[in-house]
Amino acid sequence: PTATPAPYTFVSVSVSDAAEGQLALVNFEHGFPAADSTDVVPVTAAGSLLTERNDLSLAQPALSALSALAEAFSEQTGGDRLLLTSAYRTLEYQQGVYDDYAAAYGQAAADAYVAAPGTSEHHTGLAADLSSMSKDGERVTLPNHPQFEWLKVHCADYGFILRYPPEKENITHVAYEPWHFRYVGKENAAAVRALGITFEEYIEYLRGLFRVFPPQSPRISVRRSFPLFPIPDTSYTLFRRTKTQARKA
């Protein structure tokens, strides 16, 4: 058989992936109705993955991938470890985050910068907020870590993307979050990296390729494979709005 050309990545998409799985699009326009029934497992600090609290949980595929990414990060940095600070959130927990922010900064600020309950990626069990811990025990935020660029590039090798990149707020409607990583699976992460686009743009790109995405939903109806290749970022316009302020996830 003929080998796939180097610029191409084959991606298969299924109903479960698009609706509530790896490709579930969760933002201020697309809520996550299964928030309180997400299948998650407890995260236990082990090896190169540390946890800020002992009550964190993730979907099993995301946890397995994050553990592998943490091992690679430790090897790349000579012993530094990733620190998981936030993971799966219930509707009640997200409501608390929203209420606390509103109490501290006002209702308008909360509406602008905090995801309303039901619209946070953390409901999926596939989102991980990360920091790092040096081998000397010093906590280092990712943007201040000398290997942050490595992490942003190679997280895709383990199925993760930096969900809210800088200068994309007009598309994601979320302020730049250098700590927020989303598990989408290796195939999809590799495609997002190759295309150099946001997750919103990627879903729109898949809609164009498969032509089975309803206009206002990330759901699709069949499993198919399609070669993806880099195209100009300016081709993506659906999510380029001008009025909505950027939010935090």
Side-chain angles (χ1 to χ4, degrees), residues 50-161:
L50 302 176
T51 57
E52 188 173 56
R53 309 194 315 268
N54 60 9
D55 61 346
L56 299 177
S57 57
L58 284 170
Q60 183 62 65
L63 176 55
S64 297
L66 182 59
S67 297
L69 174 60
E71 292 297 331
F73 179 78
S74 182
E75 181 176 350
Q76 175 69 21
T77 60
D80 293 354
R81 291 177 288 179
L82 289 180
L83 174 66
L84 180 65
T85 62
S86 187
Y88 168 68
R89 298 176 187 173
T90 62
L91 290 170
E92 181 181 9
Y93 187 96
Q94 187 66 23
Q95 184 70 60
V97 173
Y98 179 91
D99 291 344
D100 289 347
Y101 201 94
Y105 303 104
Q107 187 71 44
D111 288 340
Y113 295 110
V114 180
T119 67
S120 171
E121 276 213 328
H122 286 286
H123 295 322
T124 66
L126 301 172
D129 288 352
L130 300 175
S131 186
S132 72
M133 191 73 70
S134 74
K135 51 184 164 293
D136 299 320
E138 178 184 1
R139 181 165 173 170
V140 182
T141 61
L142 290 182
N144 291 319
H145 197 286
Q147 292 298 324
F148 182 44
E149 292 300 318
W150 178 91
L151 183 64
K152 287 193 295 183
V153 171
H154 290 279
C155 66
D157 298 336
Y158 301 87
F160 286 92
I161 59 172

Side-chain angles (χ1 to χ4, degrees), residues 173-193:
H173 298 279
V174 175
Y176 172 44
E177 293 191 355
W179 58 84
H180 185 108
F181 290 79
R182 163 71 187 270
Y183 180 75
V184 296
K186 290 183 180 180
E187 291 178 342
N188 296 301
V192 170
R193 177 176 61 187

Side-chain angles (χ1 to χ4, degrees), residues 109 111-114 169-170 172-176 244-248:
D111 288 340
Y113 295 110
V114 180
E169 290 87 349
N170 62 324
T172 65
H173 298 279
V174 175
Y176 172 44
T244 305
Q245 291 177 282
R247 294 170 171 82
K248 289 185 178 180

Side-chain angles (χ1 to χ4, degrees), residues 25-31 118-121 163 171-172 200 239:
L25 176 62
V26 184
N27 57 26
F28 76 102
E29 289 185 316
H30 299 102
T119 67
S120 171
E121 276 213 328
R163 179 64 176 88
I171 301 171
T172 65
E200 276 80 2
F239 291 90

Side-chain angles (χ1 to χ4, degrees), residues 1-5 10:
T2 303
T4 302
F10 276 86

